[in-house]
Amino acid sequence: MAHADQLVARKSSYLFFVSGLPNSGKSSFINTFKKKSDQDKNKLRIGGEPGITKNISNKVRIFTAPSIYIYDTPGVNLPNPENVHSAMKLAVIAAIPAHVPGQVETADYLLYWLNRKGEHGYAEQSGLAGPSNNVVEVLAHFARKKDLMKKGRPRMKTAAEHFLRA
């Protein structure tokens, strides 16, 4: 039986495909290896919304001895929420865009769960004196604190998007 170091010595290069759910960090994972191998140029594009990687990438070399290449792939198994509850969960973790169920509605869903779990850090981030169950109040404070205003009014959808990423 061969040892791992003997297998590496016999093989001159390896090729891997990275696949997973949309917006699960596949491109970020590959960029981490590129950074460690001083191949930081030509980093793969990443973003907070699913669908940034649209096609299988050119192969990316992440190691030279032995040569190891990785292909980035678009998300597979696009989530298909069965109900509103599932859609909200997927939107909160950015597996589907927040505008699908609605940005403010998704922020309200997250606010509900944060309050239920006793996680009230959002209050300080939003400039509130304490926790609140009112998503409109939370987003309005958040918009003022983050300068997400237009003509003196809070931009609620934009505030909700920022709140979801905070």
Side-chain angles (χ1 to χ4, degrees):
M1 185 157 153
H3 289 76
D5 58 344
Q6 292 170 330
L7 291 174
V8 171
R10 287 188 204 158
K11 193 89 165 145
S12 61
S13 67
Y14 294 88
L15 181 61
F16 296 94
F17 284 79
V18 178
S19 65
L21 289 172
N23 211 42
S24 61
K26 296 175 296 295
S27 299
S28 295
F29 173 77
I30 293 170
N31 284 340
T32 300
F33 281 105
K34 289 179 73 169
K35 192 172 189 176
K36 291 195 185 291
S37 67
D38 295 324
Q39 306 254 343
D40 206 21
K41 59 184 182 212
N42 303 322
K43 287 174 64 174
L44 299 171
R45 285 185 53 226
I46 59 171
E49 291 283 323
I52 299 294
T53 305
K54 304 234 184 271
N55 300 302
I56 294 177
S57 70
N58 293 327
K59 67 181 175 183
V60 175
R61 180 156 72 188
I62 59 168
F63 292 110
T64 55
S67 292
I68 298 178
Y69 298 92
I70 295 183
Y71 282 98
D72 191 16
T73 62
V76 295
N77 300 330
L78 273 171
N80 187 11
E82 297 174 6
N83 54 49
V84 173
H85 183 67
S86 296
M88 293 293 185
K89 282 182 178 179
L90 292 168
V92 165
I93 64 168
I96 63 172
H99 71 267
V100 171
Q103 294 95 327
V104 174
E105 293 81 358
T106 303
D108 192 25
Y109 182 82
L110 176 60
L111 180 63
Y112 166 78
W113 280 103
L114 289 172
N115 284 331
R116 186 169 177 190
K117 298 289 184 185
E119 300 288 337
H120 301 125
Y122 70 86
E124 185 179 330
Q125 287 184 351
S126 302
L128 291 165
S132 173
N133 290 321
N134 184 334
V135 72
V136 173
E137 175 188 28
V138 171
L139 294 178
H141 275 82
F142 194 81
R144 280 192 275 291
K145 182 141 186 185
K146 303 293 182 184
D147 196 26
L148 303 171
M149 308 291 284
K150 184 174 185 178
K151 296 182 181 177
R153 298 180 142 215
R155 295 176 16 218
M156 296 303 273
K157 286 183 182 179
T158 304
E161 289 168 359
H162 285 260
F163 179 76
L164 291 166
R165 289 191 297 251

